[in-house]
Amino acid sequence: MGDLFPDIKKIQYEGPLSKNPLAFREYDADEIVAGKPMKEHFRFAMSWWHTICASGSDMFGSGTAIRPWDREPHPVKRAKLAADGAFEFMQKLGIEYFCFHDRDIAPEAPTLAETNERLDEVCGYVGDLMKKTGIKLLWGTANLFSHPRYMHGAATSCNADVFAYAAAQVKKAMTLTRDMGGVNYVFWGGREGYETLLNTNMSLELDNLARFLKMATEYAKEIGFTGQLLIEPKPKEPTKHQYDYDVPAVLAFLRKYGLENDFKINLEANHATLAGHTFHHELHIARINGVLGSIDANQGDLFLGWDTDNFPTDVNAATLAMLEVLKNGGIAPGGFNFDAHVRRPSFQDDDLFIAYIVGMDTFAKGLKVAAKLLEEGEIEEFVSKRYASYSAGIGKKIVDGQVGFSDLEAYALRNDQPRNVSGRQEMLEAIVNRYMLNP
Amino acid sequence: MGDLFPDIKKIQYEGPLSKNPLAFREYDADEIVAGKPMKEHFRFAMSWWHTICASGSDMFGSGTAIRPWDREPHPVKRAKLAADGAFEFMQKLGIEYFCFHDRDIAPEAPTLAETNERLDEVCGYVGDLMKKTGIKLLWGTANLFSHPRYMHGAATSCNADVFAYAAAQVKKAMTLTRDMGGVNYVFWGGREGYETLLNTNMSLELDNLARFLKMATEYAKEIGFTGQLLIEPKPKEPTKHQYDYDVPAVLAFLRKYGLENDFKINLEANHATLAGHTFHHELHIARINGVLGSIDANQGDLFLGWDTDNFPTDVNAATLAMLEVLKNGGIAPGGFNFDAHVRRPSFQDDDLFIAYIVGMDTFAKGLKVAAKLLEEGEIEEFVSKRYASYSAGIGKKIVDGQVGFSDLEAYALRNDQPRNVSGRQEMLEAIVNRYMLNP
Amino acid sequence: MGDLFPDIKKIQYEGPLSKNPLAFREYDADEIVAGKPMKEHFRFAMSWWHTICASGSDMFGSGTAIRPWDREPHPVKRAKLAADGAFEFMQKLGIEYFCFHDRDIAPEAPTLAETNERLDEVCGYVGDLMKKTGIKLLWGTANLFSHPRYMHGAATSCNADVFAYAAAQVKKAMTLTRDMGGVNYVFWGGREGYETLLNTNMSLELDNLARFLKMATEYAKEIGFTGQLLIEPKPKEPTKHQYDYDVPAVLAFLRKYGLENDFKINLEANHATLAGHTFHHELHIARINGVLGSIDANQGDLFLGWDTDNFPTDVNAATLAMLEVLKNGGIAPGGFNFDAHVRRPSFQDDDLFIAYIVGMDTFAKGLKVAAKLLEEGEIEEFVSKRYASYSAGIGKKIVDGQVGFSDLEAYALRNDQPRNVSGRQEMLEAIVNRYMLNP
Amino acid sequence: MGDLFPDIKKIQYEGPLSKNPLAFREYDADEIVAGKPMKEHFRFAMSWWHTICASGSDMFGSGTAIRPWDREPHPVKRAKLAADGAFEFMQKLGIEYFCFHDRDIAPEAPTLAETNERLDEVCGYVGDLMKKTGIKLLWGTANLFSHPRYMHGAATSCNADVFAYAAAQVKKAMTLTRDMGGVNYVFWGGREGYETLLNTNMSLELDNLARFLKMATEYAKEIGFTGQLLIEPKPKEPTKHQYDYDVPAVLAFLRKYGLENDFKINLEANHATLAGHTFHHELHIARINGVLGSIDANQGDLFLGWDTDNFPTDVNAATLAMLEVLKNGGIAPGGFNFDAHVRRPSFQDDDLFIAYIVGMDTFAKGLKVAAKLLEEGEIEEFVSKRYASYSAGIGKKIVDGQVGFSDLEAYALRNDQPRNVSGRQEMLEAIVNRYMLNP
């Protein structure tokens, strides 16, 4: 391990009562839960941008954090030093995956050709660190939103030259992802949307987005990239409206353009809540549609209207999320990427470690509670009984497609007053609490 | 015309400066705009529930309005008297269509059979009024949400007996709609959703919803009902989450179950805004997906989190809506149904007339502004130029599917710094204002 | 105890692992926490309206629940039978207080005089039950929002006759509250606000509201009612804007009219969240301003924009609330009134018990966690150190008023680069979790 | 005039039908409306930060605009060149005021002393331009939120050294404001609030904020600065919760600390809407409390949860705002400062001019409509009649303090059924539209 964080030792599991902020209380990587080690359930990943690049700047203030590599003036040297820091950070936390945008790992140079050279150099360096440490690439992606060229979008830009530039960027990023053994590739369309409908040809933009994604699938085949392609929904911010608004919007799009077998979804908690949904809801929708691919683990503040990307601390929400992941048969080849950043006033280096620990502990606890809930089956059994009427009699005929409106009317006239039983919401919420509060 | 509103005469168009609250200022039914009479653009409809049945009650208080027919104690006589009032109301406003739920027009009786008899009797009476007045049925629907039997949903109830009852109700409502010459039939799933995911088998519920809608299409064929079937999205309220959340959610659902050719969408302004979208946005999405079927005209209060169903007064919003309708080639066989109710303190009978006048004037003005915007073409031309790069060169190759990532990379390496031009949002918004403020 | 809920026995504490939904898992009334029995910390109260009167109706559907007393047709007999049910309910749950509106306990009669007679009769009956059971009145209030006469407000109505009627109603309700030994009296201004500023003289309305409240303080003195007067903030619903929007709005109002010593605040969790604040925040503001009087315990759904009045299940939120209550030196003479109702599909009688149990357990757990947090002092100590700079040096001079801008500028010029330390938000959130998850 | 915008001529009024995007359609500076020239009603001001400094960067992307002065590398020379641009811009638009933060006009240097020197030099230069052009300073302020030192707040920082630094900064900014003839001084507490209550001593922070503001009033007296002191409310962003949340929060604070005679309010439209209020509402509250001091003119997007600072285009909202300003007897010595920035894709220099024109036209139209509404008095008369019951009889006695609850009960018992009349919301909204749509 490196020595850019000399005051931090490898983070250990010390059990739920430890007061050491630099220890795990719930996450014990090799503990077996629901048949496999915790770490396999999660496949936790470090987000390069929020962890290594972020400085704490916001719309009203400049960065507060200065990381050990930030004082190196030469861009490529700084990128390599930052990579050293990233791997030291992951090793100390026992995190086995990372995710990156092309522009996180190596900053843009004056020309595309030079930028690509930089990328090659730094990714080569990172590749060596990967070999040395065994740390793997969960997913790569291209940043198609920060540079002014993308002001009107990338694949949905009104400017065909920008579409071409974006294609070049994804081509490079996907190639590097393949070369680095990445098991997924993510598309987040931060500027694929509109600022005002008044200047927008949405129909053409969506067709172009489909064309772009189609090209991506073809290119993946061409280069033998077999990782999962993932779309990450977000409703807005920076753009007023983003086309990949939420899971249903993505599904409607994929199904329209015949892309539903080529893409799954990378779901972020804070993006779900910005779209007006609970994280649980979006995970559920993705799961039952067979497209739950990977998770961007974070937490929004429901009283704030922007993407706060807090580290997750809500154990109840984590429990409900893990219920979906367990029912999904796990998240692999996806993982849990911490698309989260420390609060601006939490600017010290140890805050980075503390924040990751909090997030990993929160999900670890959620996993344990969810696993026990499924094992004991109180809720599952309740739900199963609740829908029992569809397993026999008229309900079974409905499910089996043996009846139509006329049959059902005849039945209803005979069976005039259907009787319901309570939905028991309060009781069920109390059951979740019981499992959460009692180890 | 009847005499239940003896103080109100037939509402006349008096021109934009009239101070008479009981006159149209913008809506002149037979004035030709964009090639056809205003009334054909709109096909305005009266909503039976909000106009004839609503009393002004809310969650914290009882009704404030007592309509002329409310004092009649006998339910069927009251229903007929209310129908007299409804037709007098429509005639005086020059409204040529209406919409109803089964339970609006005739109240539920102790048994389904008796309820159906009541419906037959009152609908017969209404049919006579239709013949006498020439007023037509825009759409019918079944109320599958008010009775306690639907507490867990109708087509998505956990109780198969309730599914059957709902089917019986839709069968009857659709038959009546056909008999009364209705040109559309609406499905609004007010309780098709969930209160808590903890007790919900969403996968089965969605399958059942699809089964129900499939049966509806089959039944329509069976009885020769050729009207358009419409789904009305709403994100929530009364239910925590409704499956027909917004247009993309409906599209994703229809496409999954192969129903996309059988249903269009009845779009309500306030439902769009509750889902986090402008009305303009949802109309646009529906239009470019070929499913814009009909409109529930109203207006929400963006500072309130429930369905306020205000009468529309926002001329800017109406203009943007009418742009979509005109580009859609009109709304027929759908129409503009005022799914709006007077404010609780606007409880007098003349408020009903005033509110409809405000709503009709708002859309009439919006139509005139939108027609002029399209005729002059300033905005259309701007947009067309903005995307010109896709009509030639690399852009055309993208659109024609002649290039892939490798070609585009080669192009981008040659053409390193794409140049953008301004999106001109401020200028375009000013243009809309110019047309709106200057007749 | 009565026998209106014959299947429910007295609810017992069975410990955290009990699977019995009709047992307390966390609330053990006589367990000593932070120096006094749990029940004295909370002074839990039953809300008459949501528990005894509510049927589960919502804006889109009629009631789902039929309580044992609902079949009695005579209004006064029904009211007495309902009172029997109420006291049986409270006794079985071990709840020692209740709260009511005048119109909950006895329905309105054709005239005010008759209504008052009914009230006297039913309150006499309730008084006997109070003596028999030892159950006490936490607070009374007048319903000044349900009847159509209050469509434009009560104390803020544009109609002076309505102001007078409201005064008469409060006079009666306050007198009864005194007679029944009530220890608080609540003002919730559900219609004290506006629907549109266009028809509103807000300045006169606020002056009138102050006049009304002043009269109330005078009348309280006149009749020797020494209970605490409480204002309950709510931002909206049913009214578009309510004057008692949140705690700061109430403070600004009270201070303007010199009423700040006469009123404290009855704070409701769901009202806080509708106003855009956490419950914790509003409690904190009330506490540090010395006006935290009583609590309406419930929980909103942050994804829904109306007052859902769920029973509280969020232990983290309850912990933060209890921190404020403990720092406030307790809530007496106020209490925790469950202004919460079962979900519409939780319509069975036992759901009422289960929901109260969930709510009481949630706060009981919150109390225990909060008490331990304060006892151990990890967070308090952190905060204390964080502000240490104001206990000495330049900070002390600032606090003591010994310096002005010129002194501070001189200091700043000498001490050019202030050094900050991390705010440690993530660490502090993890500490709360640690206490919550580990008994 | 300068030549930094060589392609833009002085903007002329060309009347409502002009299609020239670089002409006024509604704003005619010297046109007399309601007794005085338009320009005196508004006292329009340019915001230095959003107009001269802003580059279009957002949380997900870097700046898109490069202004004529941005290529000058030397910071002080660049600041002076930018000032040339600012005055050319204002002259070409006919804007007679500007507003600035200390750090907008001259960038921070390594030490406070050097920063102050820079400020003196650039402000001297700006002072010369003011003399030459007759353009005046509407208000100055200090940026106490962008530098990392303010990460925990300024006057409410946990760090007393930071409090001192902030004091030094305000001292300098206020002195410069006085020297430059500024007629107001603004306090916007962008970081005066909290990120988490867990680490916050709010009580001390609020006391310190009051101490800071008290020192400011004393310093103003000391240096003979007689401009109006203004507080600008904002509920959140960048901070999770800001203490100056909305007008009532500021009033509650000022009244608590005896500062209500020393401060008025600078009200921003987008801050109002972020707090859950219409701009109209906050203006109204400020006006009837005598604290409406100045206006930050912009417009939010109600579908986005952050401060978008759009240029105003909503004529209806502008009309309602101008009603309040006219009833306030004007806004002087405050003004209308465009705290608005062009959309990120509107990056060209002419977009800046177009955006200001749109904003000025929007308010000009609003003024004309509001003036006519007041002149004709339809709405005022309606409101006056609506409250007539307080001018005689029991209502007058209420207002005059001649009655208490007992008198009112006696009255109510005699006058049992108060009669209401409609609130006429729909009619009133239609009246506003009538005036807006018809010149």
Side-chain angles (χ1 to χ4, degrees), chain D residues 229-252:
Chain D
L229 303 183
L230 297 166
I231 291 178
E232 179 174 333
K234 188 178 183 187
K236 50 193 159 192
E237 199 205 17
T239 309
K240 176 188 165 45
H241 176 90
Q242 283 160 226
Y243 295 134
D244 299 326
Y245 196 88
D246 55 8
V247 174
V250 174
L251 289 173

Side-chain angles (χ1 to χ4, degrees), chain D residues 69-227:
Chain D
W69 45 88
D70 285 337
R71 300 187 201 271
E72 166 58 52
H74 186 280
V76 173
K77 282 191 195 161
R78 187 170 58 245
K80 290 180 182 175
L81 194 60
D84 291 339
F87 279 78
E88 181 183 342
F89 182 78
M90 290 187 274
Q91 282 190 296
K92 287 186 167 170
L93 280 164
I95 286 181
E96 300 187 346
Y97 294 88
F98 68 99
C99 304
F100 75 102
H101 302 79
D102 49 1
R103 299 305 179 245
D104 306 335
I105 214 158
E108 200 155 328
T111 68
L112 179 55
E114 291 166 279
T115 301
N116 286 348
E117 279 168 34
R118 274 194 189 175
L119 260 175
D120 286 334
E121 181 173 351
V122 183
C123 285
Y125 186 81
V126 167
D128 291 344
L129 291 169
M130 291 171 72
K131 267 176 232 141
K132 227 179 291 178
T133 60
I135 288 172
K136 297 177 286 283
L137 176 59
L138 187 67
W139 49 261
T141 190
N143 177 327
L144 307 178
F145 47 90
S146 291
H147 193 280
R149 79 174 65 86
Y150 296 120
M151 63 169 72
H152 302 307
T156 65
S157 174
C158 53
N159 183 345
D161 288 355
V162 173
F163 183 109
Y165 198 102
Q169 226 180 300
V170 172
K171 176 178 179 293
K172 183 70 185 171
M174 196 184 279
T175 309
L176 286 168
T177 299
R178 180 203 58 180
D179 294 347
M180 296 164 82
V183 286
N184 300 274
Y185 184 88
V186 164
F187 294 84
W188 174 60
R191 307 245 184 229
E192 313 294 21
Y194 64 82
E195 292 299 329
T196 171
L197 276 171
L198 291 176
N199 71 12
T200 303
N201 183 339
M202 196 198 288
S203 191
L204 173 61
E205 292 199 2
L206 287 168
D207 288 351
N208 282 349
L209 182 56
R211 288 176 184 119
F212 192 90
L213 293 175
K214 187 76 188 156
M215 288 182 199
T217 64
E218 289 162 356
Y219 182 70
K221 253 174 242 151
E222 192 182 320
I223 64 168
F225 174 62
T226 56

